Amino acid sequence: MQRSDKPANNDLLFEIGPKNLSPMFGFLIVISFLFSMLQVLNGETMFVGSYSNEIISFQLESDSLTVLSRTPSGKNPSWLAVSQCGRYIFAVNEVNDFEGNYEGAVEAYKIINLAEGKLKFINRVSSRGGSPAHLHVRGNFIYVSNYCSGSITLLTFNSQNGELSGPLQEVTHYPSVRNETIIDCNRKDIPHIHQVIDDEIEHAILSTDLGLDSIFQYQLQRDGLLKVPPKEI
């Protein structure tokens, strides 16, 4: 859950990604966590992803939630992230069948009215791997964690219009970490990359792999690419 660095109109913008839950139960748990961990201020706008076909925005008051808007989306927009400029929202489509391939997708939206929770669809591109579960925005780069494929895909977006493009790079834990090529979303002992976050101290990113029960550190190059192989820590 993250706030935008530069929210517009004094509203606060969050990214939320309920995992492995129905939309309603995921939403309730997220809201419970939000109220227990944060001091809720009047007039906040929250965008919620789900395992459905829409992104829902809410207004948070001190004692209530009000639905502001529903934006049609691709299937299963389970994780959302906001650009550092606060103008765009990106969502994964956590599926394995995008355009007939064993891939998911990433979508871009422009925030056209934050106070009303309104988004405008920009474009959608392949995640180049199955079941993208998480995406991490760093500058104009987006690092996508493909859970079922055990891979990270590097995308980029245009800061002027939010349009997604790429991939710039595809990294898999199969050849670089484990000498296996089996892709099985239900098998627990093979690569399943679940998240990517910054390691600011080492100028690197950290990737959690649920299947391998390990964390991997990738050094960042100047062009945003990841240096391989990673370091297992």
Side-chain angles (χ1 to χ4, degrees), residues 11-25:
D11 287 313
L12 297 178
L13 185 65
F14 297 90
E15 62 175 74
I16 291 183
K19 299 292 300 169
N20 301 322
L21 298 166
S22 69
M24 181 55 67
F25 282 109

Side-chain angles (χ1 to χ4, degrees), residues 53-116:
N53 294 87
E54 61 182 359
I55 297 171
I56 307 172
S57 61
F58 296 84
Q59 184 178 44
L60 288 90
E61 302 293 345
S62 59
D63 60 354
S64 65
L65 284 171
T66 304
V67 174
L68 293 174
S69 181
R70 297 175 181 266
T71 303
S73 69
K75 187 177 180 181
N76 297 347
S78 63
W79 185 271
L80 310 179
V82 63
S83 64
Q84 292 177 335
C85 67
R87 296 169 57 196
Y88 308 111
I89 281 181
F90 306 101
V92 300
N93 291 161
E94 193 170 338
V95 298
N96 290 327
D97 57 359
F98 179 64
E99 295 184 342
N101 300 312
Y102 193 79
E103 299 172 350
V106 178
E107 304 174 320
Y109 295 85
K110 182 177 181 180
I111 302 171
I112 57 177
N113 190 317
L114 182 57
E116 296 179 5

Side-chain angles (χ1 to χ4, degrees), residues 1-232:
M1 187 165 53
Q2 295 182 349
R3 294 174 190 247
S4 167
D5 290 338
K6 298 179 180 179
N9 302 325
N10 295 318
D11 287 313
L12 297 178
L13 185 65
F14 297 90
E15 62 175 74
I16 291 183
K19 299 292 300 169
N20 301 322
L21 298 166
S22 69
M24 181 55 67
F25 282 109
F27 169 74
L28 290 175
I29 289 176
V30 166
I31 294 304
S32 176
F33 175 81
L34 178 67
F35 275 81
S36 66
M37 297 299 290
L38 297 176
Q39 180 181 0
V40 178
L41 305 176
N42 288 343
E44 292 179 349
T45 301
M46 180 174 68
F47 294 87
V48 178
S50 66
Y51 289 97
S52 65
N53 294 87
E54 61 182 359
I55 297 171
I56 307 172
S57 61
F58 296 84
Q59 184 178 44
L60 288 90
E61 302 293 345
S62 59
D63 60 354
S64 65
L65 284 171
T66 304
V67 174
L68 293 174
S69 181
R70 297 175 181 266
T71 303
S73 69
K75 187 177 180 181
N76 297 347
S78 63
W79 185 271
L80 310 179
V82 63
S83 64
Q84 292 177 335
C85 67
R87 296 169 57 196
Y88 308 111
I89 281 181
F90 306 101
V92 300
N93 291 161
E94 193 170 338
V95 298
N96 290 327
D97 57 359
F98 179 64
E99 295 184 342
N101 300 312
Y102 193 79
E103 299 172 350
V106 178
E107 304 174 320
Y109 295 85
K110 182 177 181 180
I111 302 171
I112 57 177
N113 190 317
L114 182 57
E116 296 179 5
K118 291 186 177 180
L119 304 176
K120 180 181 179 181
F121 175 75
I122 300 173
N123 74 325
R124 181 184 297 115
V125 299
S126 172
S127 71
R128 306 288 290 185
S131 292
H134 181 267
L135 53 83
H136 173 63
V137 181
R138 183 184 174 95
N140 281 27
F141 299 111
I142 300 177
Y143 299 87
V144 185
S145 300
N146 295 302
Y147 179 82
C148 286
S149 298
S151 64
I152 301 171
T153 300
L154 175 57
L155 304 174
T156 188
F157 69 94
N158 186 318
S159 60
Q160 299 301 312
N161 59 23
E163 185 173 342
L164 292 164
S165 61
L168 301 181
Q169 186 183 26
E170 298 176 56
V171 175
T172 176
H173 281 180
Y174 283 95
S176 59
V177 177
R178 294 290 189 270
N179 189 24
E180 291 189 83
T181 56
I182 301 170
I183 295 179
D184 184 344
C185 205
N186 296 315
R187 183 173 160 179
K188 303 303 182 184
D189 61 339
I190 57 178
H192 293 309
I193 298 176
H194 203 263
Q195 187 181 33
V196 166
I197 63 172
D198 282 326
D199 181 349
E200 297 288 359
I201 296 176
E202 299 292 338
H203 188 62
I205 66 168
L206 301 175
S207 170
T208 58
D209 194 312
L210 187 63
L212 300 182
D213 194 24
S214 295
I215 298 174
F216 297 92
Q217 182 189 70
Y218 287 89
Q219 294 297 318
L220 284 167
Q221 302 181 78
R222 289 187 177 182
D223 53 5
L225 299 182
L226 305 179
K227 184 178 180 180
V228 293
K231 176 183 178 182
E232 189 169 357

